[in-house]
Amino acid sequence: MQSKKDSILITGSSGLIGSEVATFFHNQGFSVHGVDNNQRAVFFGPQGDTRWSQQRLTDSLPNFRHHELDIRDRQGVLDLVRELRPTGIIHTAAQPSHDRAAAIPFDDFDTNAVGTLNFLEAARQFCPESPFVYMSTNKVYGDLPNSIALKELATRWEYDDPAYRNGIPESFSIDQSKHSLFGASKVAADVMVQEYGRYFDMPTCCLRGGCLTGPNHSGVELHGFLSYLVKCNLEEREYTVFGYQGKQVRDNIHSEDVASFIHAFYQAPRCGEVYNLGGGKGNSCSVLEAFELTRQFSGKEQRYRYVPENRIGDHICYYSDLAKMTAHYPGWSITKSLPQTVEEIVRSWQQRLKS
Ligand SMILES: NC(=O)c1ccc[n+]([C@@H]2O[C@H](COP(=O)([O-])OP(=O)(O)OC[C@H]3O[C@@H](n4cnc5c(N)ncnc54)[C@H](O)[C@@H]3O)[C@@H](O)[C@H]2O)c1
């Protein structure tokens, strides 16, 4: 158990990752401060509303305190970090959608890049020794992974280059490819988080997420692939597949495994690190394979329509090479298989759709 003085500040605490991390750290004995302003509902409309999740945290975690704050409010961020001086900062708040960013470039950049800088600078001023974990994204690699030789299998694309047998490593270039505006704003933040680590010797790290998922996701068409797919399946709604024959591959990691990695980093932090955090090859699936997996638990065939044009810059095949994470943190591993995760998402949506 942690000492009473261990307090963690989590931005985006009502979101998928933030809420999971809040619960995880609370269960380890931390007092937890959450920052969220339900901006997800502004980005995605009522379907993206996260107030239910905020309420769940407030009701179930006695040492959780919600702070209604916009991370773009620089003075508000400085004041909060000065007041709390947390022993760790986990920054998950973001405009998280690739496709949405093009319509709201200022909101996207101000939230993703400038919001991150606000917290980094507040941390440097008031708690520079506290581990700072930033949820980055595999979109920092832009569409460069699409230049890797691929082979087409019956239900998925697969790498046809032995160098990527275990997936994409952190040494992969983030430069000179198409990122989407979202990917570009996340690159800006990612590099800034690394810089505060290297330049100021602060214990920062970037987690370049694949598909982070779990039963607490408020999945919408533009963000939250598995969660949204399962919801469509249960509601017998048509799912739109964009290009690549539906064989595009994603690696999926349960948010609990994300939270346990963040905790491992908190306990043994390093400076300016970068990790690719996904489900790895073992937890990867194509859209077509996800339909089948979901059917196994819901009993329903997926209705879908196929649009030949892929989403701009969308990865054809992406899974993370987990070798660096597991080398640096040998006590950590993936604990939830993909079928287990899909089953949890199905059961959770069945409950939520009833109420
Ligand atoms: N879920 C994924 O598949 C995935 C994949 C790769 C990277 N990531 C990254 O992980 C992080 C968390 O993703 P998530 O899936 O939990 O997203 P989410 O949208 O579920 O949660 C983000 C939370 O941040 C809040 N927020 C957004 N802007 C805010 C602002 N200006 N001020 C205060 N709060 C604000 C939202 O209301 C929301 O509750 C993001 O940085 C995202 O880019 C997610």
Side-chain angles (χ1 to χ4, degrees):
M1 280 298 187
Q2 305 300 316
S3 87
K4 276 251 177 288
K5 280 189 278 176
D6 279 323
S7 66
I8 206 93
L9 174 58
I10 300 170
T11 72
S13 47
S14 309
L16 168 75
I17 298 304
S19 61
E20 195 76 57
V21 173
T23 307
F24 189 96
F25 275 77
H26 190 276
N27 291 345
Q28 300 286 326
F30 287 77
S31 55
V32 177
H33 294 270
V35 168
D36 207 300
N37 66 347
N38 198 26
Q39 191 71 18
R40 189 173 169 90
V42 178
F43 294 144
F44 302 118
Q47 299 291 318
D49 198 292
T50 55
R51 289 290 181 208
W52 65 277
S53 172
Q54 178 189 328
Q55 193 61 47
R56 190 175 49 91
L57 293 179
T58 321
D59 290 346
S60 62
L61 308 179
N63 293 321
F64 173 82
R65 209 174 123 207
H66 177 80
H67 301 266
E68 188 76 18
L69 175 67
D70 191 318
I71 65 165
R72 293 169 291 187
D73 172 359
R74 181 167 298 156
Q75 194 55 49
V77 169
L78 286 166
D79 290 346
L80 184 68
V81 176
R82 183 195 298 113
E83 179 201 330
L84 299 176
R85 295 180 198 265
T87 56
I89 295 180
I90 300 162
H91 177 38
T92 81
Q95 188 300 107
S97 165
H98 205 84
D99 296 314
R100 187 81 186 98
I104 49 168
F106 292 119
D107 281 344
D108 178 82
F109 197 85
D110 286 345
T111 304
N112 291 351
V114 183
T116 301
L117 178 60
N118 289 344
F119 272 95
L120 282 168
E121 187 48 31
R124 186 177 77 85
Q125 290 186 28
F126 304 115
C127 55
E129 318 268 290
S130 302
F132 187 108
V133 177
Y134 166 60
M135 283 310 311
S136 185
T137 169
N138 63 16
K139 298 295 189 301
V140 300
Y141 299 117
D143 62 359
L144 203 58
N146 291 352
S147 65
I148 299 171
L150 295 171
K151 55 187 169 204
E152 186 173 357
L153 306 181
T155 57
R156 61 152 63 196
W157 294 96
E158 187 51 86
Y159 297 129
D160 196 17
D161 178 341
Y164 301 103
R165 193 183 304 117
N166 298 318
I168 306 285
E170 292 79 0
S171 54
F172 204 79
S173 175
I174 62 169
D175 196 18
Q176 299 183 58
S177 62
K178 191 191 280 178
H179 291 81
S180 82
L181 297 191
F182 160 75
S185 65
K186 295 292 277 189
V187 165
D190 183 303
V191 173
M192 199 56 103
V193 170
Q194 291 186 58
E195 204 53 40
Y196 269 69
R198 296 208 171 85
Y199 197 90
F200 297 119
D201 232 3
M202 282 167 57
T204 67
C205 96
C206 300
L207 302 180
R208 294 178 174 164
C211 282
L212 319 176
T213 190
N216 297 328
H217 216 179
S218 304
V220 290
E221 184 171 23
L222 295 184
H223 184 244
F225 150 67
L226 265 183
S227 173
Y228 177 70
L229 184 149
V230 168
K231 185 166 181 250
C232 285
N233 176 281
L234 293 175
E235 292 182 323
E236 298 175 12
R237 273 196 290 131
E238 192 174 69
Y239 182 92
T240 307
V241 177
F242 294 96
Y244 305 141
Q245 286 80 49
K247 296 181 181 182
Q248 52 272 58
V249 170
R250 306 278 175 266
D251 68 336
N252 305 282
I253 181 168
H254 193 292
S255 45
E256 259 176 54
D257 286 335
V258 174
S260 72
F261 183 80
I262 293 173
H263 186 249
F265 181 85
Y266 176 86
Q267 288 183 306
R270 305 164 69 109
C271 289
E273 270 301 353
V274 172
Y275 300 102
N276 287 348
L277 174 72
K281 189 172 189 170
N283 274 359
S284 67
C285 69
S286 69
V287 175
L288 295 181
E289 290 165 351
F291 288 163
E292 173 52 22
L293 255 177
T294 305
R295 188 196 60 75
Q296 288 171 20
F297 296 107
S298 72
K300 295 182 180 197
E301 293 292 337
Q302 183 70 51
R303 292 180 51 224
Y304 72 94
R305 76 184 172 114
Y306 182 71
V307 177
E309 203 178 329
N310 59 275
R311 286 187 159 134
I312 299 172
D314 201 19
H315 291 151
I316 307 172
C317 179
Y318 186 96
Y319 48 85
S320 318
D321 184 342
L322 304 178
K324 185 177 172 191
M325 292 175 73
T326 47
H328 286 189
Y329 296 94
W332 177 86
S333 63
I334 299 265
T335 63
K336 301 253 184 180
S337 70
L338 184 58
Q340 223 177 333
T341 302
V342 171
E343 181 172 14
E344 281 187 30
I345 298 173
V346 169
R347 303 291 168 241
S348 157
W349 269 124
Q350 282 169 334
Q351 284 305 317
R352 280 158 71 189
L353 292 172
K354 256 191 245 160
S355 52

